Amino acid sequence: MSPAKQLRRLDDLLDSRLMSKLDAIDLMSRKIFSGKLQGERRSRRRGQSIEFADFRPYVHGDDLRFVDWNIFGRLDRLFLKMFLEEEDLSLVIAIDTSASMRAGDPDAFDYARRVAMALAYVGLVNQHRVSLVSFAEGRVERASNLRGRRKAAEVAQWLLALEPSGASGFEDAMRLVGTSRSGRGVMVVLSDFLFAEGFEKGLRMVAGRGFELFALQLLAPQIIDPAREGGVTGDLLLVDSETGTETEVTVTPELLRIYKERLDRLCGALRAYCQRRDITHMVVDTSTPVETLMLEYLRRRGLLR
Amino acid sequence: MTLAAVTWIAPVAGAVLGASILAPLVALWFLKLRRKRRAVPSNLLWVRSLADLRANAPFQRLRPNFLLLLQILAVLAIAFALAQPEAEGFGSTGGRHVVMIDRSASMNAVETGEAAGGEEGVTRLDLAKRAAKERVRQLLGGGWFSTNASDVMVIAFGSRAEIRAPFTDSIAALEGAIDGIKPSDESTRILEALELSRAFTANDRPDEVETALLADPPTIELYSDGRVEDLGSIALRTGERLVYHRVGEASSNLAVVAVSAERPPDAPDRIQVFAAVANPRTEPARATLQLAVNGTVRALTPEPIEIPAAVERDGQFIPGRAQVVFRPIEQAANAAIEVAVVEDDALRDDDAALAIVPPAKRLAVLHVGSGSFIVRTLLEGLPIERFASRPVSEFDDLVAKGELGAWDVIVLDGVAPKVLPAGRYLALGAPPPVEGLAPYGTHRGVYARIVRDEHPLFRSASLDELFVSQMTAVQVDKSFQVHAEAAEGPLVVSLDRADLHLVYVAFDPLDSNWPFQRSFVNFIANAVELLGRAGDAVTGRALAPGEAIAMRLPAGSRDGQIRLPDGSESKADIDKDGNLSYGPVRLAGLHRVSYLEPGRDERAERLVAVNIADAAEARIAPLENLSIGTKEVQGISVAESRRGALWPWVLALGLLVVLVEWWWYQRQIRL
């Protein structure tokens, strides 16, 4: 396994070529969310844009400026003109910084940071509110409410400062995110979802709370196929990078078959869980170029346009 | 305590045990699977996969792993070795064992080469004793982890059996008993040995005879070459097991099975020697025979004689046989004639046979009777040294005075003395006072119906024409031999009881037509000759090993000694009447009996020949298997078992496998 190139600068996370390609795309949400700041995105909230949406009867307290006096003249009843208001979109990117992410080549952690950077960049340039959350056992770090292209460097710095360690603590992190979120929006979880305690409780904390959720399951090729390139073969003592527990295995074709079945089952369970809760699930092989992921796969899956 | 003060009972076993544990221990240390440490993001999937693998496949197939195969082999081999395996047929090591050691003549065969373990001059008996001692140690050593020791009994047998050690668990006692077994030239009869062992195994608790045998049946460990004469007549009882330890391999043997020497009537100073040589092998043989008189070689066959091969005919084994007649040799004095095969073979003891020929002496005959001229005249005409005729009253006086010793043969012609002391008698008509001979009346007009023509008494003496007008009706017990009988009862009987030799004719010749026939003359001459040579006084009938020497010496003789063929001296008992007895004799060869006669300072000497003269013993090729009743007992060669039990080889194999495994593992992890 060749050592991964260390990420030190923004360029390492997001090169200018991809950056220029990302300038042309925006986040897409099946839902229309309301935001706090006026953004470049239409919100379901009727507001002050010029795009007419609907009428509704006037009720006490409504802003008289939006009364359609023409209709009042014709019908002698007060109707309010309703316009689509353009609002900002909240993008929350949750990055798993547990030790298990530091595995494979390219490792899932670096890949997650690149993807986070790319997504955040798309959000920033489109004037969305971008929040970043890193989670590991007993440790949740956040960079909230970043907006505008200028914040890209700040996001990069934040991402570069992350260091994976410990177990995931997914459930606690999601509980925190779910309860303290401000605004509605899109949430992208970047993780391998290899949680000993399971992913269900964690996802339940954020599902159904107004987020359009994307679960990107980042798996290094060595996890998808452990025997690949002389990886996990023979008689081994496997040391869990999160818990340090040791497991003696003698890798046989039969065991590999069962392992793959297990992995398929895990991914399948996550997919099924996500489908039931309107979460978009996607398994990403970390050997997939970030550009391909951003410009093709995520577009196809409706996260970007 | 120093090491020198420590007694090591089984140092070899301890060392082997230590090595067998230590070596695998070290090997397993080497072989402990050294797994490479590999950090993985999460063990989650692996742990679950392993659980799946175990749950889904409780009897999961062992993956084809050469290391695993070698490990299994090594463990099996070491476990097998720890179990101290013995070759099939050795029987169990617990319970009761009767070690029976054949010490018959054929066990004196000298083994060479592999059968003797590379040693020279080792007899089968030596090998048997060695193997038996090993077996005793096996049985009583208890094995490495055994607490169930055995009880062992030792019996030595030839023609007779002898308990050398009763049931015991003392190795020292048993080894001493085995060491003490001396070779003999006896024939091989196992029945007595079996009966002896049964006496010890079946009657422990007389009130529970049946259950005792069934509950604790002995294992008979027979060390023999399998040439057992009475094998066909024995059968194993329920529960008895027999393990046949086959001793020896040699088969090359020739035997002098008969020798006889006679003085021709016309030349009593000469000795004519006849001999027979048997060849028990299936190919013809050639042999040179030598004739020795009193230890000096006097003649050799001019060229090797051809002895045909043995044949099997109707299931009977018939050894090849050749007769040899030597030219008469001049020898007036008594002589020990020995005929021997010159060539070496495996069994030397039966290569020679002896005959004792008395000096050219003529007989002294006493006629006791009422004056029948026919018998007296006839006796006077015989070529005898001295003759006298006395009435019966004088005979009784001679008996009272003890002066009968001067007469070789006494003819009781129609008279019955009051007592019949030891001596050689021909009694005609009146029944003599002998125990076992009971007269009960008379018969009239009888013919001889059955006559044992082959007996020397009837040499040229046919009774076909005999008519007896009146005979004494007698009844005889089993100690008598009946040579001729009429429909009404015995006509001619004989008795050889210790030193009393009697030929009794149950009718007075004058009451028959016998005196008119030539057979009467011949019969009287035959009887005098036979009686005159009977016992030891005249010619020594060669004894067979296992028989006893019994001879009548002059009353008052003392200090009897016997010089055995192996040169050792032994004391012989002589009772007050001068009866010497010794035995049973163990060895074939010349036995010199010497004693002091009353009133003489010089020791007198008599010679006794003991010959194997047994074609069955001459057949020394060991039997592969024994057929006892309907059972076939597989033989186990002691030569093979002596080379070692199986376990050291298995242990060695196990260790070798461990080494191969180590090498393979090293090779594998280097890759």
Side-chain angles (χ1 to χ4, degrees):
Chain A
M1 198 185 297
S2 60
K5 183 190 169 190
Q6 270 205 314
L7 305 181
R8 292 194 178 134
R9 296 174 298 143
L10 172 60
D11 281 357
D12 296 334
L13 290 170
L14 184 64
D15 61 57
S16 51
R17 195 176 54 84
L18 178 58
M19 210 182 278
S20 65
K21 288 181 181 171
L22 292 179
D23 282 340
I25 62 174
D26 189 7
L27 290 173
M28 184 172 79
S29 175
R30 284 167 290 148
K31 298 171 184 174
I32 297 173
F33 299 111
S34 64
K36 280 182 180 172
L37 301 173
Q38 191 172 17
E40 293 184 345
R41 188 180 181 80
R42 277 180 299 181
S43 163
R44 188 183 286 176
R45 184 185 284 178
R46 307 295 182 259
Q48 296 166 358
S49 73
I50 53 167
E51 195 171 346
F52 171 76
D54 203 355
F55 293 100
R56 73 166 168 80
Y58 171 83
V59 292
H60 181 72
D62 277 345
D63 192 342
L64 287 172
R65 287 178 298 172
F66 298 115
V67 172
D68 190 331
W69 297 109
N70 291 328
I71 291 175
F72 177 74
R74 286 203 300 269
L75 301 176
D76 201 21
R77 286 173 67 182
L78 285 172
F79 279 91
L80 228 60
K81 283 196 285 189
M82 297 177 71
F83 298 91
L84 285 178
E85 188 175 50
E86 289 188 337
E87 288 185 342
D88 61 343
L89 180 68
S90 178
L91 169 65
V92 181
I93 303 169
I95 307 168
D96 181 358
T97 55
S98 66
S100 70
M101 292 291 283
R102 183 62 98 186
D105 181 23
D107 81 27
F109 180 63
D110 285 350
Y111 194 82
R113 287 195 289 178
R114 285 201 185 97
V115 173
M117 186 66 232
L119 285 172
Y121 181 76
V122 170
L124 291 175
V125 297
N126 288 291
Q127 297 300 315
H128 300 307
R129 223 161 358 102
V130 175
S131 294
L132 294 152
V133 180
S134 75
F135 62 90
E137 189 177 27
R139 192 180 73 239
V140 178
E141 292 174 20
R142 309 173 66 139
S144 302
N145 300 328
L146 305 170
R147 191 177 161 108
R149 189 188 294 266
R150 284 170 299 140
K151 294 289 183 181
E154 196 179 324
V155 169
Q157 283 305 316
W158 187 85
L159 285 171
L160 290 170
L162 293 177
E163 196 58 48
S165 66
S168 67
F170 181 60
E171 184 186 340
D172 292 341
M174 291 303 106
R175 183 182 294 121
L176 195 63
V177 172
T179 53
S180 66
R181 73 177 186 84
S182 53
R184 295 179 171 187
V186 174
M187 182 172 177
V188 180
V189 182
L190 299 169
S191 172
D192 52 13
F193 289 93
L194 298 175
F195 308 135
E197 68 275 12
F199 50 78
E200 292 88 348
K201 283 183 183 172
L203 287 178
R204 200 180 298 144
M205 295 293 164
V206 286
R209 293 198 180 219
F211 279 119
E212 182 170 4
L213 264 174
F214 287 85
L216 298 194
Q217 192 176 9
L218 309 180
L219 296 175
Q222 288 77 11
I223 289 182
I224 295 169
D225 181 8
R228 177 171 159 164
E229 294 166 7
V232 180
T233 53
D235 299 308
L236 298 171
L237 185 69
L238 300 180
V239 184
D240 190 307
S241 55
E242 290 185 2
T243 61
T245 55
E246 297 177 342
T247 307
E248 289 188 347
V249 294
T250 298
V251 181
T252 62
E254 177 67 3
L255 184 63
L256 280 177
R257 186 186 63 74
I258 292 174
Y259 173 92
K260 285 178 183 170
E261 269 181 23
R262 264 279 159 194
L263 184 62
D264 280 351
R265 226 185 295 167
L266 180 83
C267 297
L270 180 57
R271 189 181 305 115
Y273 186 88
C274 292
Q275 278 173 356
R276 284 201 300 276
R277 284 165 180 74
D278 204 17
I279 302 169
T280 304
H281 167 253
M282 195 174 164
V283 176
V284 182
D285 184 338
T286 60
S287 62
T288 310
V290 176
E291 186 179 338
T292 311
L293 175 74
M294 295 298 292
L295 302 180
E296 291 181 27
Y297 297 168
L298 291 183
R299 275 180 154 175
R300 234 179 277 158
R301 297 304 299 268
L303 177 61
L304 301 173
R305 63 174 176 184
Chain B
M1 189 174 64
T2 61
L3 268 182
V6 178
T7 303
W8 302 91
I9 294 170
V12 178
V16 169
L17 183 64
S20 66
I21 291 173
L22 196 64
L25 193 71
V26 174
L28 287 175
W29 185 84
F30 277 122
L31 289 170
K32 187 178 182 304
L33 202 53
R34 292 177 189 166
R35 297 176 185 274
K36 279 187 239 170
R37 288 176 74 88
R38 173 69 56 83
V40 289
S42 170
N43 274 349
L44 184 70
L45 285 170
W46 289 110
V47 171
R48 289 182 182 171
S49 300
L50 283 173
D52 271 4
L53 188 69
R54 287 171 192 146
N56 292 338
F59 301 104
Q60 53 181 300
R61 283 176 298 154
L62 291 171
R63 67 191 171 114
N65 184 327
F66 187 61
L67 272 180
L68 179 64
L69 183 72
L70 287 177
Q71 277 174 5
I72 289 170
L73 267 179
V75 169
L76 281 180
I78 290 167
F80 193 59
L82 284 173
Q84 295 190 70
E86 295 170 336
E88 190 184 349
F90 268 71
S92 63
T93 50
R96 300 182 137 202
H97 293 254
V98 180
V99 172
M100 286 187 186
I101 300 180
D102 180 357
R103 61 168 175 195
S104 65
S106 60
M107 293 293 282
N108 294 328
V110 176
E111 294 290 340
T112 52
E114 203 173 326
E119 289 181 54
E120 287 301 319
V122 183
T123 65
R124 286 182 184 174
L125 185 63
D126 293 334
L127 295 175
K129 282 157 71 173
R130 222 179 281 170
K133 284 198 285 184
E134 271 180 34
R135 182 71 179 136
V136 164
R137 282 193 290 270
Q138 256 180 13
L139 290 170
L140 299 179
W144 293 341
F145 306 111
S146 170
T147 53
N148 181 22
S150 314
D151 269 348
V152 181
M153 175 184 192
V154 177
I155 296 179
F157 71 99
S159 57
R160 306 294 302 273
E162 176 193 3
I163 293 176
R164 299 289 310 170
F167 278 112
T168 175
D169 58 0
S170 159
I171 296 180
L174 291 164
E175 288 194 339
I178 293 170
D179 280 333
I181 295 173
K182 294 211 164 65
S184 83
D185 289 323
E186 296 173 11
S187 59
T188 318
R189 304 183 70 79
I190 198 174
L191 182 61
E192 193 177 322
L194 270 180
E195 294 297 341
L196 277 176
S197 83
R198 283 168 186 163
F200 272 76
T201 51
N203 293 321
D204 274 350
R205 284 166 287 180
D207 52 330
E208 294 175 29
V209 172
E210 287 297 317
T211 53
L213 179 61
L214 292 174
D216 192 9
T219 301
I220 296 165
E221 314 261 356
L222 173 65
Y223 290 85
S224 172
D225 52 15
R227 295 298 176 187
V228 181
E229 247 176 66
D230 57 348
L231 204 60
S233 60
I234 64 164
L236 293 178
R237 289 185 184 167
T238 314
E240 278 182 339
R241 282 167 296 162
L242 187 138
V243 182
Y244 168 37
H245 302 265
R246 191 178 66 247
V247 187
E249 284 177 7
S251 62
S252 154
N253 189 36
L254 292 175
V256 177
V257 290
V259 62
S260 69
E262 285 186 2
R263 291 183 184 279
D266 54 341
D269 291 345
R270 289 183 165 196
I271 296 175
Q272 174 90 59
V273 179
F274 307 88
V277 190
N279 173 21
R281 300 173 66 188
T282 48
E283 57 264 22
R286 289 159 68 87
T288 305
L289 296 188
Q290 71 175 27
L291 169 67
V293 177
N294 295 336
T296 306
V297 177
R298 297 277 290 272
L300 270 173
T301 48
E303 54 189 40
I305 55 166
E306 298 279 346
I307 312 160
V311 289
E312 288 263 356
R313 199 171 295 151
D314 302 330
Q316 289 284 316
F317 176 80
I318 303 168
R321 194 178 168 103
Q323 312 279 356
V324 180
V325 182
F326 288 92
R327 284 187 180 177
I329 50 171
E330 294 288 340
Q331 179 71 23
N334 69 338
I337 306 288
E338 185 190 61
V339 176
V341 177
V342 174
E343 288 86 1
D344 258 348
D345 59 22
L347 182 58
R348 289 296 298 166
D349 295 18
D350 65 357
D351 289 353
L354 283 160
I356 307 301
V357 182
K361 169 197 164 189
R362 292 192 172 176
L363 299 172
V365 177
L366 176 67
H367 175 257
V368 181
S370 53
S372 162
F373 75 96
I374 294 175
V375 175
R376 195 178 65 222
T377 311
L378 203 155
L379 289 170
E380 282 171 348
L382 290 177
I384 53 179
E385 181 75 26
R386 192 151 57 95
F387 178 76
S389 184
R390 300 276 186 276
V392 70
S393 55
E394 283 189 32
F395 174 80
D396 289 335
D397 288 343
L398 287 174
V399 172
K401 292 175 190 167
E403 292 177 359
L404 279 181
W407 302 99
D408 293 319
V409 179
I410 297 159
V411 179
L412 302 171
D413 185 8
V415 293
K418 288 175 188 164
V419 290
L420 203 64
R424 293 167 285 276
Y425 302 92
L426 168 63
L428 303 169
V434 180
E435 190 186 338
L437 180 76
Y440 62 91
T442 55
H443 296 298
R444 292 178 183 282
V446 298
Y447 295 93
R449 291 284 174 87
I450 302 167
V451 179
R452 286 176 59 196
D453 293 330
E454 76 283 359
H455 196 271
L457 278 175
F458 297 106
R459 194 165 55 202
S460 305
S462 165
L463 299 189
D464 290 350
E465 305 293 324
L466 177 69
F467 170 74
V468 179
S469 60
Q470 180 177 322
M471 66 171 282
T472 308
V474 291
Q475 197 170 21
V476 291
D477 68 10
K478 284 181 180 174
S479 59
F480 282 79
Q481 281 188 306
V482 178
H483 299 292
E485 56 185 316
E488 292 78 4
L491 281 174
V492 180
V493 297
S494 72
L495 170 71
D496 292 292
R497 185 182 292 160
D499 289 326
L500 176 64
H501 303 276
L502 168 71
V503 174
Y504 172 58
V505 178
F507 58 92
D508 189 334
L510 294 180
D511 292 335
S512 72
N513 62 353
W514 209 12
F516 304 105
Q517 295 173 11
R518 192 174 55 193
S519 65
F520 179 61
V521 181
N522 289 343
F523 176 83
I524 296 295
N526 288 344
V528 169
E529 176 74 15
L530 181 73
L531 287 167
R533 306 279 182 245
D536 57 82
V538 183
T539 180
R541 178 181 71 85
L543 298 176
E547 292 182 332
I549 295 174
M551 59 177 67
R552 183 181 172 82
L553 306 177
S557 297
R558 58 197 163 83
D559 193 18
Q561 286 193 341
I562 295 185
R563 178 178 284 258
L564 304 176
D566 60 4
S568 61
E569 293 268 353
S570 191
K571 199 170 175 319
D573 296 328
I574 305 174
D575 69 9
K576 61 183 171 45
D577 296 327
N579 294 309
L580 176 140
S581 57
Y582 172 82
V585 291
R586 278 189 302 108
L587 301 175
L590 190 62
H591 289 64
R592 292 174 182 273
V593 180
S594 66
Y595 55 94
L596 281 171
E597 286 183 4
R600 293 181 68 175
D601 294 334
E602 269 184 44
R603 295 186 71 82
E605 187 179 70
R606 292 190 186 182
L607 304 179
V608 178
V610 179
N611 294 331
I612 297 177
D614 185 341
E617 284 300 317
R619 194 180 179 194
I620 60 168
L623 271 183
E624 287 292 318
N625 304 315
L626 292 186
S627 295
I628 299 177
T630 54
K631 280 181 96 172
E632 188 80 7
V633 180
Q634 185 86 24
I636 307 155
S637 166
V638 295
E640 284 164 17
S641 61
R642 198 180 61 248
R643 275 200 290 271
L646 291 176
W647 63 264
W649 301 101
V650 180
L651 182 63
L653 178 72
L655 295 178
L656 184 71
V657 171
V658 168
L659 281 178
V660 171
E661 186 183 25
W662 180 72
W663 169 80
W664 184 268
Y665 178 71
Q666 290 296 322
R667 187 168 161 262
Q668 203 177 41
I669 60 173
R670 225 171 275 138
L671 284 172

